[in-house]
Amino acid sequence: MIPLHDLLFFVLAALILVISPGPNMIYLISKSITQGKKSGLISLAGVVCGFLFHIVMVSFGLTAVLLAVPVAYTILKTLGTVYLLYLAYQAIKPKSKNIFEVDSTGRHDGPKKLFTIGFLTNVLNPKVAIFYLSFFPQFIKPEYGSVLTQSLELGVIQTFISFSVNFIIVLTAAKVAVFFAGNPFWVKIQKWFMASVLTFLAVKMAFSKAK
């Protein structure tokens, strides 16, 4: 089993990463604002199933790679560091889009389409796979037990955190959108805070070592 202190740091990292704007969050916010909370929740169900798909695929892949190629840890760590720095830049780059500025002209979709698009938005998003492949190895150590079990453990935790955060976003999307529209200063604070934390995580990952 993964030690508690490592799990707590993973929870913090996963929480920061899930609030980093991406296709999943933008899609959920858009549907929640334009079609209501019910549509947002159906879309969220599809997104969660997409996470489960990635977890299974990546867990078995990591098990094979980490046990067969030790140098893979360094490669994946480098990818993870670059990915986190990229997210930090995306958060504060000039003219970066406020995720609550969504297109409200789209037509309404039925439950089946909402679920399917939510699922495909996640499954076909390469950033999700990159996150799992580059971030998970920082917390998985062979001496902690089965690599597959550890990977699945992290996957379940990350999915639960993602679901919880996105569930709150779906329920409050409209209210939060109004708040940020009237308080642009807080948008800047949110972006710089997120960029700072992501940079911290990238530096910590860059100097981490395999045990």
Side-chain angles (χ1 to χ4, degrees), residues 32-208:
S32 298
I33 292 177
T34 60
Q35 294 191 213
K37 297 176 183 177
K38 182 178 179 180
S39 295
L41 292 175
I42 294 174
S43 300
L44 176 57
V47 170
V48 170
C49 288
F51 276 124
L52 296 177
F53 172 84
H54 278 292
I55 288 170
V56 172
M57 298 298 291
V58 172
S59 293
F60 284 97
L62 283 177
T63 300
V65 172
L66 292 180
L67 292 180
V69 188
V71 73
Y73 177 87
T74 300
I75 296 174
L76 294 176
K77 181 179 71 172
T78 302
L79 289 174
T81 300
V82 172
Y83 176 56
L84 290 174
L85 291 174
Y86 167 78
L87 290 178
Y89 170 73
Q90 289 296 311
I92 60 173
K93 71 177 182 179
K95 298 181 180 180
S96 60
K97 183 180 179 180
N98 176 3
I99 60 172
F100 289 97
E101 295 175 357
V102 297
D103 180 11
S104 59
T105 61
R107 60 183 181 181
H108 285 207
D109 298 322
K112 182 178 180 180
K113 186 173 182 179
L114 288 169
F115 180 90
T116 301
I117 294 179
F119 176 77
L120 293 177
T121 296
N122 200 353
V123 168
L124 300 179
N125 180 10
K127 291 183 179 180
V128 177
I130 292 174
F131 164 66
Y132 284 137
L133 284 172
S134 60
F135 206 68
F136 277 29
Q138 320 310 320
F139 299 89
I140 297 174
K141 312 297 180 193
E143 59 266 33
Y144 294 161
S146 168
V147 172
L148 175 59
T149 300
Q150 293 178 65
S151 184
L152 292 173
E153 179 183 0
L154 294 177
V156 170
I157 293 174
Q158 189 274 336
T159 299
F160 176 76
I161 292 173
S162 295
F163 169 79
S164 300
V165 171
N166 285 316
F167 181 76
I168 295 174
I169 287 175
V170 167
L171 296 182
T172 62
K175 293 181 179 179
V176 175
V178 172
F179 172 80
F180 278 121
N183 299 273
F185 175 72
W186 287 104
V187 175
K188 294 182 179 180
I189 292 180
Q190 177 262 341
K191 289 181 178 181
W192 279 98
F193 173 75
M194 183 179 298
S196 299
V197 176
L198 289 170
T199 301
F200 167 76
L201 293 174
V203 172
K204 183 173 178 27
M205 180 180 293
F207 289 98
S208 65

